Amino acid sequence: MSSQNIYILGIESSCDDTAASVIYNGKILSNVVANQKIHEEYGGVVPELASRAHQQNIVPVVDQALKKANITKEHLHAIAFTRGPGLMGSLLVGTSFAKSLAMGLDIPLIDVNHMQAHILAHFIDEEGFNKPPFPFLAMTISGGHTQIVKVSNYFEMEVIGETIDDAVGEAYDKSGKILGLGYPAGPEIDKLAHSGNPKAFQFTKPKVAGLNFSFSGLKTGILYFIQRETKVNPNFIEENINDICASIQYTIIGILIDKLKLASKQTGIKHIAIGGGVSANSGIRQALKNGESKFGWTTYVPKFEFTTDNAAMIAIVGYLKYLENNFSEQNVTASARLKI
Ligand code: KG4
Ligand code: ZN
């Protein structure tokens, strides 16, 4: 990496987290995230409310990121922002803020693909975390996406498998809704699963050819199962919540690991990384680790704070692009369906 002294501000506003981060060369100096509590009562993200909350949060969040990094905006060399994919109303807030800040400071603007950022978060300089060598496989698992990506270089990525319906995070969140848990349900299911028996209940795994995923059938299977059981015993959920969560988690992890095994076999690549909100899951982390002795993999799991949506991952991509003089024009537009 370069020996220049580069400060970059990263801004993330693709969904319901407003985030800002300052990176100095490859090292994160600050990583501020404002979660939007407002969506909890709706059991999912409400786009209009998300956009409004971003407008309220963005100035204080950026301000805090600069303060925590102990710099002023005049120190910055470039502004990196999430261009997409995500919710259009949310993306527009970050995009227009980044554009005006870059213009006001007369420094380069750098657009970042959110899904690439989840993968490139592995290149943040962080003690105790190794960076994967190219080529490696990255499985991005979040509330909006489920993909297996062959990463040949920083910006040379190919999606080799993806979900044909729901994302894996949605499977967690929708299962949680059926069970009466809060939103997002992933972390809670993960916690409850610890004290349950993963083989207590069996759920059918989807049959999807090749490296693609499907999670909508699993969600329906869980719904019918719960409806059937609660008819017999109205307290079924309360009495079995740990076992239900452990069994759901076991099934989901099985689906993910099966596809990773196939991807590794087909490509011959044994360096395997995960990213995205669901990579915070303790079960998938353990299963990946087990793959080291079972399948000869070398695995890479991001630091916890870089798994769910954050701006540090946007800042590292900004830094990598800055080194390549890969800047955006002021007329760049947000793109809700931006592809890798
Ligand atoms: O990457 P992310 O913050 O936002 C998107 O880009 O979607 O991911 C959020 C998703 C939610 O579905 C949430 O339930 C899930 O990540 N999640 C988890 C865990 N922590 C977050 N799922 C399972 N186990 C967890 N520990
Ligand atoms: Zn994300």
Side-chain angles (χ1 to χ4, degrees):
M1 292 253 165
S2 157
S3 57
Q4 289 171 281
N5 294 322
I6 307 297
Y7 288 96
I8 289 172
L9 174 72
I11 295 172
E12 154 66 29
S13 74
S14 66
C15 189
D16 61 337
D17 295 308
T18 320
S21 167
V22 174
I23 191 166
Y24 173 66
N25 297 339
K27 234 179 161 47
I28 298 300
L29 299 184
S30 63
N31 185 24
V32 179
V33 184
N35 302 111
Q36 301 180 0
K37 289 260 169 273
I38 183 125
H39 307 287
E40 275 172 20
E41 58 190 284
Y42 298 95
V45 177
V46 184
E48 287 77 13
L49 296 179
S51 176
R52 204 174 310 158
H54 282 306
Q55 288 174 31
Q56 285 164 357
N57 291 343
I58 196 147
V59 172
V61 164
V62 166
D63 207 40
Q64 244 190 67
L66 292 171
K67 278 208 181 90
K68 281 199 174 154
N70 218 0
I71 62 164
T72 64
K73 56 186 187 310
E74 286 71 28
H75 287 94
L76 294 170
H77 292 80
I79 311 290
F81 70 97
T82 304
R83 181 178 174 216
L87 301 169
M88 188 43 102
S90 293
L91 291 167
L92 282 172
V93 178
T95 305
S96 37
F97 186 87
K99 278 187 187 183
S100 33
L101 191 55
M103 188 184 257
L105 294 169
D106 197 21
I107 55 176
L109 181 67
I110 301 172
D111 68 278
V112 174
N113 179 312
H114 180 92
M115 295 313 294
Q116 286 191 348
H118 270 303
I119 295 172
L120 295 174
H122 286 280
F123 293 92
I124 292 171
D125 279 342
E126 193 68 51
E127 223 168 287
F129 289 80
N130 293 328
K131 295 169 186 165
F134 300 114
F136 65 94
L137 293 178
M139 183 169 70
T140 46
I141 40 182
S142 74
H145 297 272
T146 306
Q147 296 184 323
I148 299 181
V149 183
K150 184 181 162 193
V151 188
S152 302
N153 212 325
Y154 293 127
F155 301 105
E156 214 182 306
M157 301 187 185
E158 184 193 354
V159 178
I160 57 173
E162 62 189 327
T163 182
I164 57 169
D165 42 54
D166 290 353
V168 59
E170 269 181 287
Y172 267 103
D173 296 337
K174 288 178 179 174
S175 302
K177 203 167 183 177
I178 296 167
L179 297 172
L181 303 176
Y183 174 86
E188 210 174 338
I189 292 180
D190 190 11
K191 206 165 103 203
L192 294 167
H194 282 147
S195 338
N197 172 9
K199 297 196 177 154
F201 308 109
Q202 261 91 51
F203 299 109
T204 317
K205 281 193 201 168
K207 291 180 185 61
V208 190
L211 298 176
N212 285 340
F213 299 88
S214 165
F215 287 100
S216 73
L218 176 65
K219 168 198 66 193
T220 315
I222 292 168
L223 176 67
Y224 290 163
F225 166 76
I226 294 294
Q227 283 175 344
R228 219 168 36 235
E229 295 294 337
T230 47
K231 226 178 239 169
V232 182
N233 171 10
N235 298 324
F236 178 77
I237 295 179
E238 297 85 86
E239 287 170 13
N240 297 281
I241 188 71
N242 294 336
D243 284 351
I244 300 170
C245 289
S247 302
I248 292 173
Q249 177 135 315
Y250 180 77
T251 310
I252 291 178
I253 290 166
I255 296 168
L256 297 175
I257 294 292
D258 281 354
K259 293 293 180 176
L260 267 184
K261 269 163 66 182
L262 186 61
S264 172
K265 201 169 146 210
Q266 282 186 4
T267 58
I269 297 171
K270 285 178 181 277
H271 288 275
I272 300 191
I274 55 172
V278 182
S279 66
N281 184 272
S282 63
I284 189 69
R285 286 174 170 239
Q286 188 57 49
L288 210 66
K289 200 87 208 130
N290 296 345
E292 300 206 334
S293 53
K294 269 169 123 174
F295 317 122
W297 293 349
T298 309
T299 64
Y300 305 84
V301 177
K303 193 178 178 189
F304 200 76
E305 63 180 293
F306 305 142
T307 56
T308 47
D309 286 349
N310 65 85
M313 68 183 195
I314 306 304
I316 184 69
V317 179
Y319 177 60
L320 294 170
K321 282 193 160 183
Y322 187 93
L323 295 180
E324 295 184 2
N325 287 320
N326 188 349
F327 304 132
S328 318
E329 300 294 334
Q330 269 287 336
N331 63 3
V332 62
T333 51
S335 172
R337 297 184 176 275
L338 191 65
K339 298 258 182 270
I340 267 190

